[in-house]
Amino acid sequence: MAEGKFGTCINCMDGRTQEPMIAWMKKGFELDYIDMITEPGPDGILGLRKKELADSIKSRVLISTEKHGSDTIVLVAHADCAGNPVTYEEHLSHLRRGMEYIRSWDLDVDIYGVWIGDETWLPDVVASIER
Ligand SMILES: [Zn+2]
């Protein structure tokens, strides 16, 4: 097992969301490293269960949980998302459904859904599924 405490972030590829998520997760969950799994609009991919991409995300999550011992998974949605250009309400729905999908993988993890708004570009927890 790798040294240090790891967390897992299923984030958008959008460059505006990378540093905020790393800083916020390290501080909020007292983590040393964040395994960053990026796709365009991952809330839409998992929320709508787009199988091929969802399987790819899952395979990377499993490396983070099994090889790095991560027990914290954060799924991110954000404003002005080019990969999943839907309303705020739809993003929240995709986040919740995406989190349920992650739960169905039956991992020993806490799962959080985060929204990043375009006023501050700071993460905000909107839903959680804790063990
Ligand atoms: Zn995006």
Side-chain angles (χ1 to χ4, degrees):
M1 192 71 75
E3 282 190 38
K5 188 149 173 47
F6 285 73
T8 313
C9 185
I10 306 173
N11 202 357
C12 189
M13 61 170 277
D14 192 309
R16 295 171 289 185
T17 65
Q18 311 305 314
E19 286 166 321
M21 283 310 304
I22 292 168
W24 181 83
M25 284 184 69
K26 277 184 160 181
K27 186 156 186 266
F29 298 107
E30 298 183 338
L31 300 170
D32 299 306
Y33 306 106
I34 310 305
D35 289 337
M36 192 66 76
I37 298 167
T38 69
E39 293 289 347
D43 59 319
I45 291 167
L46 295 180
L48 303 174
R49 305 194 179 194
K50 298 178 181 174
K51 184 158 176 24
E52 211 164 304
L53 285 168
D55 285 349
S56 166
I57 290 172
K58 181 180 178 183
S59 73
R60 285 174 278 164
V61 167
L62 293 180
I63 291 170
S64 187
T65 56
E66 290 172 7
K67 306 291 187 187
H68 290 166
S70 170
D71 62 4
T72 304
I73 298 180
V74 179
L75 177 60
V76 179
H78 71 96
D80 193 34
C81 185
N84 188 26
V86 298
T87 65
Y88 173 70
E89 287 71 24
E90 286 170 301
H91 274 300
L92 292 193
S93 166
H94 290 172
L95 269 180
R96 291 206 169 82
R97 290 165 65 185
M99 291 166 67
E100 289 297 333
Y101 189 38
I102 294 166
R103 174 153 77 174
S104 78
W105 299 343
D106 211 18
L107 306 171
D108 188 27
V109 295
D110 296 322
I111 304 164
Y112 299 90
V114 157
W115 170 255
I116 301 180
D118 57 4
E119 301 87 4
T120 61
W121 292 96
L122 291 175
D124 194 21
V125 174
V126 292
S128 63
I129 303 173
E130 294 178 51
R131 287 169 289 180

